[in-house]
Amino acid sequence: MDNTQPRMRWWGWGEDGHDGPVKPGAKKMLTKSCGWPEGVNRPPIDLDAVQLPGAELPDDARSRFDELLGAAYVRDDRATRVSHAAGRSVPDLLRLRSGQMPFAPDAVLFPASEAEVDELLAICSQERIAVVPFGGGTSVVGGIDAFRPGFRSCVCISLARLDQVLDIDEKSLTVTAQAGVFGPDLEERLQAEGFTLGHFPQSFEFSTVGGWVSTRSAGQQSTGYGRIDENVFGLHCSTPSGPIRLHPTPASAAGPNPRQMLIGSEGTLGIITQATLRIKRLPETTLPDAWFFPDFHSGATALREMEQTGLRPDIARLSDVNETAFGLAQLGSGLQRKGLLAFLRARGVTTPCLLVLRYDGRTSDARSRRAAGRAIAKKQTGVSIGGAPETMWEKHRFSTPYLRDQLMTEGIVVETMETAAQWSTIEDLHDTIRQDIEKSLADRGTPALVLCHVSHLYTAGCSLYYTVFAQQQEGQEMEQWTALKTAAGDAMVDNGGTITHHHATGADHAPWLAEETGELWLRMLRAAKAEVDPGGIMNPGKLMHGPTTL
Ligand SMILES: Cc1cc2nc3c(=O)[nH]c(=O)nc-3n(C[C@H](O)[C@H](O)[C@H](O)COP(=O)(O)OP(=O)(O)OC[C@H]3O[C@@H](n4cnc5c(N)ncnc54)[C@H](O)[C@@H]3O)c2cc1C
């Protein structure tokens, strides 16, 4: 496969051929909550009609890039520029679909080695060219928007040709992979040898090792297998001031951990070229389980007890009342849904909250953890219908993002956002964020449907992940999105939450960073950046330097 060809379609999620009509049950629920914009059909514009700024790569820089990489790997054709100009946030999708692209890289560069990345950054520094590192382009926080404040030009450096799994160390249980390796390619290679990284973000199929490490990504199995930041033992990073090569060590007391400084740096300090990650042996068994609770409180209490007593389910996902109802509304058969609701009603569960769980490992161990988990779920008045809901959720877990594209065509905007907080505040936070989002959109005359789930457990707390639907305000889509984002962001930082549990900061969350970390920490971060990136070329306008414009 030629990895320099984009894996995702240029205007939306994933590949063609996976879209389907919105299921009648889901449409009914959206109509009831948000109103359905009858007769709306807003498909994305043609690629040829996309309005791009002119490419401004200076000739002297281009010839240096051509000489280093070969002209075939310095591309500025329309398709390449557009497909590297935006991630998959709502503002990105609005810009892509309408064809109004105020920013795009002047060229996309495809280095094939660490040495080439080192050299490219040296050239960009000398030539005053802004650099946007690019993995899979799935950022949902404006992480790859091609800002160039005060620079002569802006290039995107794609890691697509650094696509090798370099080593599987069976004794240490680690894998060393180059930054441009995509999720499925890494897992295929690991699983063929009996291992797994266990890192499955919903964007798994289209995101990369370098992207995960740069954003502190969390996967759907991170409760059991760990977030990516817990699993990095070594990494290589090229910076404009030179390379940083941190060899893998299981632990160290040599001062603050430099790996943790680079993990989550979102391309603002340098380009991660390879990482050494913890892997596990493939589990002997994976046991699904599922429960319906009468309310969010009892489900959350059960999860807390499971985590704090060391059961550590490998997958744990508790949907609130709205999300459970939306999931059930998408069930193919109304009869099936009605039967299930009647079954639950008969057991006192009228507003069900679904919890899906999975226990991985040796069969005996997984069985005993599941039995202990069941005892806790029962104690919290959960009702079991076996493992089928978990199996069904797993089957569809990578396909739900396609629904967002379809709904945008039909005039419904869909935003997702996440936070994390301590158990002591989580339930209040769950309500406050939902209410503030609902108010921000109702005030604009576009009432919302807000769904939420818990998907990552820690002994001290958990994550909350929101999905918000509302009718798009035609002509004021960005203002509508800003109102929603501001309401949610303020509610998170004002009530003990983080502005992001795993989507990272990018441009979109940058306005809240100082509130979360304090100004002094930001100044420390900027001082570190000044050392490795004195010209400030690395991913301007993101993380510590956002927000900014062109
Ligand atoms: C539908 C959908 C579902 C998602 N689900 C999840 C989820 O479950 N969990 C989760 O954590 N995230 C999720 N995300 C967000 C996104 O997929 C993650 O942030 C992911 O880690 C980004 O990887 P990527 O390879 O696509 O990176 P990109 O989007 O290309 O880049 C992300 C950021 O990292 C920088 N970057 C990329 N590669 C490098 C590198 N090698 N060196 C330095 N900087 C680099 C970029 O400049 C950018 O700032 C989802 C996104 C979408 C659209």
Side-chain angles (χ1 to χ4, degrees), residues 249-264:
T249 53
S252 165
N257 186 341
R259 292 157 194 82
Q260 291 299 334
M261 181 89 184
L262 296 168
I263 297 167

Side-chain angles (χ1 to χ4, degrees), residues 34-42 407 410-412 471-472:
C34 321
W36 188 263
E38 284 301 341
V40 173
N41 182 24
R42 289 186 209 131
L407 284 167
E410 302 200 34
I412 301 270
Q471 282 195 44
Q472 262 176 49

Side-chain angles (χ1 to χ4, degrees), residues 326-357:
F326 194 75
L328 292 177
Q330 300 206 70
L331 274 183
S333 126
L335 223 55
Q336 220 180 342
R337 183 171 63 249
K338 280 186 186 141
L340 175 62
L341 290 175
F343 172 84
L344 293 173
R345 246 192 331 270
R347 285 152 186 81
V349 179
T350 50
T351 49
C353 290
L354 173 64
L355 170 64
V356 295
L357 297 156

Side-chain angles (χ1 to χ4, degrees), residues 8 13-14 86-89 93 131-145 156-159 162 178-183 199-204 206-220 222 227-228 236-238 262 264-274 317 397-398 400-402 404 416 418 455-456 465 500-507 538-539 542-543:
M8 280 197 291
W13 183 245
R88 293 298 178 265
S89 68
L93 292 174
V131 171
V132 179
F134 187 99
T138 64
S139 168
V140 276
V141 292
I144 52 168
D145 293 349
C156 175
I157 297 186
S158 164
L159 280 304
L162 273 80
Q178 289 187 303
V181 176
F182 279 84
H199 191 70
F200 295 98
Q202 194 185 41
S203 54
F204 168 73
F206 301 100
S207 56
T208 61
V209 167
W212 298 340
V213 174
S214 305
T215 58
R216 305 184 84 89
S217 158
Q220 293 169 336
S222 288
R227 304 164 54 93
I228 206 74
H236 289 188
C237 183
S238 302
L262 296 168
S265 61
E266 301 184 30
T268 60
L269 300 178
I271 295 188
I272 290 165
T273 49
Q274 73 173 53
R317 192 178 171 99
R397 65 172 159 164
F398 298 134
T400 43
Y402 290 99
R404 179 164 70 149
T416 59
E418 21 66 67
S455 51
H456 300 82
Y465 184 101
T500 172
H501 169 262
H502 58 260
H503 281 168
T505 307
M538 296 306 305
N539 216 2
K542 321 292 160 40
L543 187 63

Side-chain angles (χ1 to χ4, degrees), residues 69-408:
L69 304 179
Y73 295 111
V74 180
R75 297 192 193 151
D76 62 358
D77 59 280
R78 165 177 288 268
T80 305
R81 288 182 68 210
V82 172
S83 57
H84 292 80
R88 293 298 178 265
S89 68
V90 168
D92 287 334
L93 292 174
L94 290 169
R95 282 192 284 264
L96 285 167
R97 293 172 64 103
S98 66
Q100 302 295 320
M101 299 296 295
F103 30 82
D106 294 324
V108 182
L109 313 179
F110 295 93
S113 66
E114 283 185 343
E116 287 184 356
V117 177
D118 289 342
E119 186 61 23
L120 280 179
L121 294 188
I123 296 174
C124 290
S125 239
Q126 290 152 14
E127 300 282 350
R128 301 270 315 131
I129 293 175
V131 171
V132 179
F134 187 99
T138 64
S139 168
V140 276
V141 292
I144 52 168
D145 293 349
F147 300 141
R148 61 182 74 195
F151 293 99
R152 290 170 80 199
S153 173
C154 175
V155 294
C156 175
I157 297 186
S158 164
L159 280 304
R161 292 171 73 209
L162 273 80
D163 59 358
Q164 298 300 305
V165 175
L166 300 173
D167 180 48
I168 298 175
D169 180 339
E170 299 193 7
K171 267 194 189 154
S172 313
L173 286 178
T174 58
V175 62
T176 301
Q178 289 187 303
V181 176
F182 279 84
D185 301 339
L186 180 62
E187 269 304 313
E188 192 185 335
R189 178 70 197 281
L190 286 172
Q191 291 190 15
E193 301 193 27
F195 301 101
T196 178
L197 178 63
H199 191 70
F200 295 98
Q202 194 185 41
S203 54
F204 168 73
E205 297 160 288
F206 301 100
S207 56
T208 61
V209 167
W212 298 340
V213 174
S214 305
T215 58
R216 305 184 84 89
S217 158
Q220 293 169 336
Q221 294 168 209
S222 288
T223 294
Y225 289 79
R227 304 164 54 93
I228 206 74
D229 42 290
E230 294 168 311
N231 287 330
V232 177
F233 290 137
L235 57 79
H236 289 188
C237 183
S238 302
T239 81
S241 297
I244 300 173
R245 311 279 190 244
L246 298 166
H247 68 274
T249 53
S252 165
N257 186 341
R259 292 157 194 82
Q260 291 299 334
M261 181 89 184
L262 296 168
I263 297 167
S265 61
E266 301 184 30
T268 60
L269 300 178
I271 295 188
I272 290 165
T273 49
Q274 73 173 53
T276 299
L277 307 165
R278 176 188 13 220
I279 54 176
K280 287 190 173 176
R281 293 188 204 288
L282 276 173
E284 191 177 287
T285 191
T286 59
L287 295 180
D289 204 14
W291 293 80
F292 286 95
F293 289 91
D295 50 38
F296 188 68
H297 167 76
S298 27
T301 307
L303 280 184
R304 175 164 57 83
E305 198 175 331
M306 287 177 195
E307 186 62 19
Q308 291 179 345
T309 52
L311 281 188
R312 219 169 187 196
D314 293 276
I315 293 176
R317 192 178 171 99
L318 171 70
S319 297
D320 71 0
V321 175
N322 281 357
E323 191 176 276
T324 304
F326 194 75
L328 292 177
Q330 300 206 70
L331 274 183
S333 126
L335 223 55
Q336 220 180 342
R337 183 171 63 249
K338 280 186 186 141
L340 175 62
L341 290 175
F343 172 84
L344 293 173
R345 246 192 331 270
R347 285 152 186 81
V349 179
T350 50
T351 49
C353 290
L354 173 64
L355 170 64
V356 295
L357 297 156
R358 202 180 84 185
Y359 300 90
D360 297 6
R362 285 178 195 274
T363 309
S364 56
D365 173 59
R367 279 197 184 134
S368 80
R369 283 157 63 221
R370 185 171 68 175
R374 285 180 167 169
I376 293 171
K378 265 191 204 143
K379 194 172 79 186
Q380 293 303 328
T381 63
V383 174
S384 170
I385 60 159
E390 195 284 333
T391 312
M392 194 182 303
W393 168 80
E394 233 182 282
K395 189 170 160 208
H396 297 291
R397 65 172 159 164
F398 298 134
S399 58
T400 43
Y402 290 99
L403 179 63
R404 179 164 70 149
D405 288 343
Q406 181 60 32
L407 284 167
M408 281 184 94

Side-chain angles (χ1 to χ4, degrees), residues 3-23:
N3 262 352
T4 64
Q5 294 307 316
R7 292 202 178 192
M8 280 197 291
R9 52 188 176 187
W10 66 267
W11 57 269
W13 183 245
E15 302 158 326
D16 288 338
H18 296 270
D19 306 278
V22 181
K23 297 258 170 59

